[in-house]
Amino acid sequence: MTEQQETLVGGWTAFHPLTPEDQKVFDEAMQGFVGVKYQPYEVSTQVVNGTNYRFKCDASMPPADVVWQAIVEIYQPINGQPHVVGITRI
């Protein structure tokens, strides 16, 4: 995929390691979330009227040792706080 395709409005980027800014968006959106613990390790983004994020995460429910993968979808509006729009177990 070329760099131009990766930044095309409406197109998703390939999954890649999180940047500090990606981690900040994830942390803000998940603030106050209780129950399952999500630890993101890769992200894909889509530029729309704001930015959509798909975070690949390891998920667990402490104190159990069971771990599974999930996609946490977050929307970051141009003006406003990021928020979770969906979580899918994979």
Side-chain angles (χ1 to χ4, degrees):
M1 186 181 318
T2 68
E3 187 173 328
Q4 184 180 14
Q5 289 171 319
E6 290 180 19
T7 58
L8 183 66
V9 173
W12 287 94
T13 65
F15 279 96
H16 56 275
L18 276 66
T19 66
E21 180 62 29
D22 296 330
Q23 185 68 55
K24 180 181 175 194
V25 169
F26 184 86
D27 292 344
E28 285 181 27
M30 298 300 285
Q31 189 172 357
F33 191 84
V34 296
V36 177
K37 178 183 175 190
Y38 294 95
Q39 182 61 49
Y41 58 89
E42 285 187 318
V43 64
S44 174
T45 59
Q46 178 189 43
V47 176
V48 289
N49 186 15
T51 305
N52 287 319
Y53 292 83
R54 289 182 185 157
F55 290 93
K56 280 187 184 176
C57 301
D58 286 329
S60 62
M61 192 176 300
D65 291 332
V66 178
V67 176
W68 64 93
Q69 279 69 50
I71 298 287
V72 176
E73 297 177 64
I74 293 174
Y75 174 63
Q76 168 68 67
I78 292 172
N79 296 311
Q81 296 293 329
H83 57 274
V84 175
V85 295
I87 299 174
T88 305
R89 185 174 180 158
I90 55 174

